[in-house]
Amino acid sequence: MADESAFPLGMIVGLVIKLSPGTIIQHMVQFNQGYFFNLLLPPIILNSGYELKRRNFFYNFGTILTFALAGTFIAALATGVLTYLYAFLHPEGINISFIDSMIFGSILSATDPVTVLAIFSQLHVDPNLFSIISGESLLNDAVAIVLSETLHKFRGQELHVANIFKGIGVFMGVFTASTLIGVLFGIMVALMLKYSELYRYPSIETCLVALMAYSSYLFSNATQMSGIVTLLFSGITLKHYAYDNLSLRSKRATKYVFQVLSQLSENFIFIYLGVNLFTQTGLEYKPFFIIITTMIICVARYVSVAPLSMLINAVCRALGKSEQTLPRSHQLMLFWAGLRGAVAFALSSGLVGESAAAMRTTVLAVVVMTVLLFGGTTNRMLQLLEIQTGVIEPDDSSSEDEPDDQDLSGYQKLRLRSPDVFDNDDDDNSNTIDGGELRIGGGGVSSSRRRLLPQRNSSSSNMEVSIGGLLSGPLGDPIPDPAQPHWFMSFDEKWLKPLFTKRHIQARNQTLAEYWREKRRKMDRANRNMLAGIHSMGFGQGPAANDEYYYDNDDNVDALTLNSVHDNRFSTASAPNNQSYTPSVSANAGGPGSPSTSRLVIGAGRVFGRSPPESGH
């Protein structure tokens, strides 16, 4: 991946600068914490929130929050305590106080699986696993930053119970206030776009979104809050509410500009770290401390993942949500994705104390080792753990092919493409047998399989995947009703979305929802009519097959499943091999050994008619 290859490139450049005469260039490329936090990190955080898969993120929000809050706290505590115990023996002349070791642990608890997530995105790894790791890493960075800053405030003070509870209160207050600031900035932008005519000036619209997001980051830092948390939730809110109010050009501009800036920042940060491995001054290498610290963070990562995974699985089973449990392979991949990155190294610049130089050097060395070791073996781990890849997930963002929103005179007409899963939208359903293939009209069911992949720039195709997926269930079972939405999602669709988005956008969304509800009803009718046609042909009815059959409306009466129809016979006339074969339905077909026997195979929402074996072969 680009990020992984940028790291050794930076190391080569840093080595060349280190061996070159003079120190002017070496001082120019040294790591600067201000540049990192004010210029390089914000584009990455903003794009992460703006392009977040909100559906999976909030579906797994409980799991993500558990790992991000409790997991980060456990990892920081374990790393800090083990580091203090090691430093207590004063090996290699290291002397670290307890509060400094806890700050050291909070810094190293910040994970940065950029390389892992890039590989996941390329291989289309299981969306649930992807959302858990990406969401945990985003919130984990924010939690680690707030935690380290909180611990810095108590440096030099005595450790007692009052200070512990005070620190927890400060941490929760900063995190909550930072989240609210980000949400408020996003809502403010959405309202500005709703009640203005900036759609006439796409360049100004794009600049407004970018500058307001960056302003939220600076405002949060100025008020001693966490700018990372603010910017993350500002990006999520902008995409959820303000994005629909943008013109088509602004939607495309914000999406691609944020992606490009984020990719540039990520690659530059990796080059930056590689260069500083050789050019940074004031480094103090302690080999045994580096090795022990690497082992400590592995132990701390395991301690923060394994018990919490067991707890999450137990809670999910108790609540009857077994589909949300974490399998063993996902737990191991969560452990393997615990890379350390630039956030940890940037925070280490604030370390003070007798062994601060050794701790900064150790953090840099740990970042290098985890990126090369864990990031470089991610592909192999996916194969060993047999984690599902190649999962094509529809984007839950708005389409880029939707009509431009510049006409505010009223919602005129909705352009909709006919979904590929429907060959005919008419309610008339005709059953025809042609050339050994049973085609059933109206439901779009045929022997040819259509692989539904989400197409780019198509809003309807994204919905076709979810609607088309209904055909993959047992044939004859009623199309299931959509799952009851989360209470907040219902509240959001009913009250918040209309409050923060334009009226004609609401009309479009409502029309889309009504369109797909009608499609679902048509699919249900086509399914029922198809079953009525199959039953009327007397499959499996014996002598009573010629009797008139009335299809009961009860969904559970005589439902025809995938494997319930077999060994049904067609009586056929002998025909040369080069002629078409047209079976006719008969209730008195020959026995199983008859040469004129054909089997009807039904599976995965389509019906096949097999030609009988030729006699004499």
Side-chain angles (χ1 to χ4, degrees):
M1 299 304 298
D3 300 318
E4 189 177 359
S5 61
F7 198 85
L9 176 62
M11 294 174 61
I12 295 173
V13 174
L15 181 60
V16 172
I17 296 175
K18 181 69 175 179
L19 298 176
S20 300
T23 58
I24 298 178
I25 299 178
Q26 185 174 344
H27 287 299
M28 289 176 58
V29 298
Q30 285 181 2
F31 191 86
N32 187 298
Q33 186 180 14
Y35 291 159
F36 176 80
F37 279 109
N38 293 324
L39 295 178
L40 297 178
L41 189 59
I44 300 175
I45 301 299
L46 176 59
N47 184 69
S48 299
Y50 202 71
E51 293 299 320
L52 186 70
K53 297 287 186 180
R54 300 184 302 278
R55 179 171 55 251
N56 285 327
F57 178 80
F58 290 109
Y59 179 77
N60 299 295
F61 189 71
T63 301
I64 293 171
L65 206 60
T66 301
F67 284 121
L69 293 179
T72 304
F73 180 78
I74 292 174
L77 182 63
T79 304
V81 170
L82 292 176
T83 301
Y84 178 73
L85 293 177
Y86 175 77
F88 184 77
L89 303 175
H90 303 289
E92 300 179 300
I94 294 176
N95 185 17
I96 305 175
S97 65
F98 181 76
I99 189 65
D100 286 338
S101 65
M102 293 304 300
I103 295 174
F104 184 69
S106 65
I107 290 173
L108 282 177
S109 66
T111 61
D112 189 19
V114 173
T115 303
V116 174
L117 293 177
I119 295 173
F120 279 15
S121 180
Q122 183 184 37
L123 298 179
H124 300 290
V125 175
D126 188 329
N128 285 328
L129 177 61
F130 184 89
S131 65
I132 291 173
I133 293 180
S134 61
E136 187 247 350
S137 67
L138 286 174
L139 295 179
N140 164 273
D141 286 346
V143 171
I145 293 172
V146 175
L147 186 60
S148 63
E149 291 176 351
T150 303
L151 289 172
H152 271 293
K153 296 178 181 178
F154 292 93
R155 193 174 186 277
Q157 300 183 18
E158 294 183 2
L159 181 65
H160 49 79
V161 178
N163 280 342
I164 293 176
F165 283 102
K166 181 180 179 182
I168 295 175
V170 170
F171 170 80
M172 297 302 297
V174 169
F175 195 89
T176 304
S178 302
T179 302
L180 291 177
I181 292 173
V183 173
L184 289 176
F185 266 81
I187 290 176
M188 183 168 59
V189 174
L191 292 175
M192 291 172 63
L193 294 173
K194 178 180 179 180
Y195 293 108
S196 67
E197 295 187 359
L198 289 176
Y199 62 87
R200 302 182 186 275
Y201 311 99
S203 58
I204 297 180
E205 264 190 325
T206 305
C207 292
L208 175 68
V209 173
L211 292 177
M212 288 298 290
Y214 190 62
S215 298
S216 70
Y217 177 79
L218 297 178
F219 177 82
S220 182
N221 285 334
T223 55
Q224 303 299 314
M225 298 293 110
S226 174
I228 301 298
V229 178
T230 296
L231 191 58
L232 173 63
F233 284 94
S234 177
I236 295 174
T237 308
L238 286 172
K239 187 61 177 290
H240 192 60
Y241 295 118
Y243 186 83
D244 283 338
N245 294 334
L246 294 172
S247 63
L248 182 58
R249 291 181 180 179
S250 298
K251 289 178 181 179
R252 291 173 175 171
T254 54
K255 179 178 180 180
Y256 293 118
V257 167
F258 292 166
Q259 284 180 353
V260 169
L261 290 178
S262 174
Q263 189 64 39
L264 287 174
S265 296
E266 289 177 2
N267 285 287
F268 189 81
I269 285 173
F270 274 85
I271 295 175
Y272 207 11
L273 289 177
V275 169
N276 279 266
L277 187 63
F278 295 97
T279 61
Q280 190 74 14
T281 58
L283 298 180
E284 187 178 342
Y285 287 93
K286 303 289 185 180
F288 287 106
F289 186 42
I290 293 173
I291 295 173
I292 294 298
T293 302
T294 305
M295 297 172 61
I296 286 175
I297 64 169
C298 292
V299 172
R301 180 67 177 175
Y302 180 81
V303 170
S304 65
V305 170
L308 292 180
S309 298
M310 296 175 60
L311 176 63
I312 291 170
N313 289 345
V315 172
C316 289
R317 293 190 185 99
L319 297 177
K321 298 180 179 180
S322 57
E323 69 280 357
Q324 296 187 21
T325 57
L326 290 172
R328 187 65 176 173
S329 60
H330 287 193
Q331 297 177 30
L332 292 174
M333 201 65 228
L334 273 167
F335 165 79
W336 205 257
L339 287 73
R340 271 55 178 179
V343 173
F345 181 64
L347 291 174
S348 69
S349 61
L351 288 171
V352 294
E354 184 178 342
S355 299
M359 288 191 288
R360 284 195 295 268
T361 307
T362 300
V363 171
L364 179 59
V366 167
V367 170
V368 175
M369 294 175 64
T370 55
V371 169
L372 296 180
L373 176 62
F374 294 103
T377 56
T378 299
N379 270 319
R380 184 57 181 164
M381 284 300 298
L382 290 174
Q383 296 174 2
L384 293 176
L385 298 176
E386 298 181 351
I387 294 177
Q388 186 181 13
T389 58
V391 181
I392 306 297
E393 184 190 17
D395 189 10
D396 56 1
S397 63
S398 300
S399 169
E400 294 177 5
D401 269 352
E402 59 194 2
D404 203 340
D405 300 329
Q406 295 184 4
D407 183 11
L408 296 183
S409 58
Y411 182 77
Q412 300 294 334
K413 184 179 180 180
L414 176 65
R415 295 190 307 171
L416 292 170
R417 298 180 181 178
S418 297
D420 291 340
V421 295
F422 300 102
D423 291 333
N424 187 8
D425 290 340
D426 297 333
D427 291 337
D428 298 333
N429 300 279
S430 58
N431 301 332
T432 61
I433 301 177
D434 183 16
E437 174 181 289
L438 179 63
R439 294 186 179 274
I440 302 175
V445 183
S446 67
S447 62
S448 60
R449 175 185 293 227
R450 294 190 179 189
R451 185 184 180 193
L452 294 176
L453 294 178
Q455 303 171 0
R456 298 182 66 180
N457 302 336
S458 173
S459 60
S460 61
S461 63
N462 293 339
M463 299 180 212
E464 289 165 25
V465 176
S466 58
I467 298 296
L470 297 173
L471 289 175
S472 61
L475 187 62
D477 289 349
I479 298 174
D481 291 328
Q484 186 69 23
H486 191 270
W487 67 268
F488 179 77
M489 300 302 294
S490 301
F491 177 78
D492 179 65
E493 292 295 332
K494 185 176 181 180
W495 300 103
L496 299 183
K497 277 280 191 178
L499 181 63
F500 302 130
T501 56
K502 296 178 181 178
R503 183 170 300 177
H504 69 288
I505 298 295
Q506 304 166 27
R508 184 195 67 194
N509 294 338
Q510 183 178 4
T511 306
L512 280 172
E514 293 174 355
Y515 172 80
W516 286 109
R517 279 195 295 267
E518 179 61 26
K519 279 296 180 185
R520 180 184 170 276
R521 286 193 292 267
K522 287 185 178 182
M523 289 177 64
D524 202 3
R525 286 197 298 270
N527 198 12
R528 292 176 180 274
N529 291 333
M530 177 176 59
L531 289 175
I534 292 175
H535 281 294
S536 66
M537 290 188 285
F539 295 156
Q541 300 296 326
N546 294 328
D547 297 338
E548 185 176 4
Y549 177 82
Y550 296 97
Y551 183 72
D552 197 310
N553 286 331
D554 187 358
D555 295 332
N556 299 319
V557 175
D558 200 19
L560 188 64
T561 59
L562 287 173
N563 299 317
S564 63
V565 179
H566 58 84
D567 290 335
N568 297 288
R569 294 146 178 96
F570 292 103
S571 60
T572 62
S574 60
N577 292 336
N578 59 350
Q579 294 182 2
S580 62
Y581 157 69
T582 306
S584 60
V585 180
S586 173
N588 301 318
S594 174
S596 61
T597 301
S598 177
R599 298 182 63 189
L600 179 69
V601 182
I602 299 181
R606 57 198 185 282
V607 182
F608 295 90
R610 291 186 182 173
S611 300
E614 296 292 339
S615 59
H617 293 278

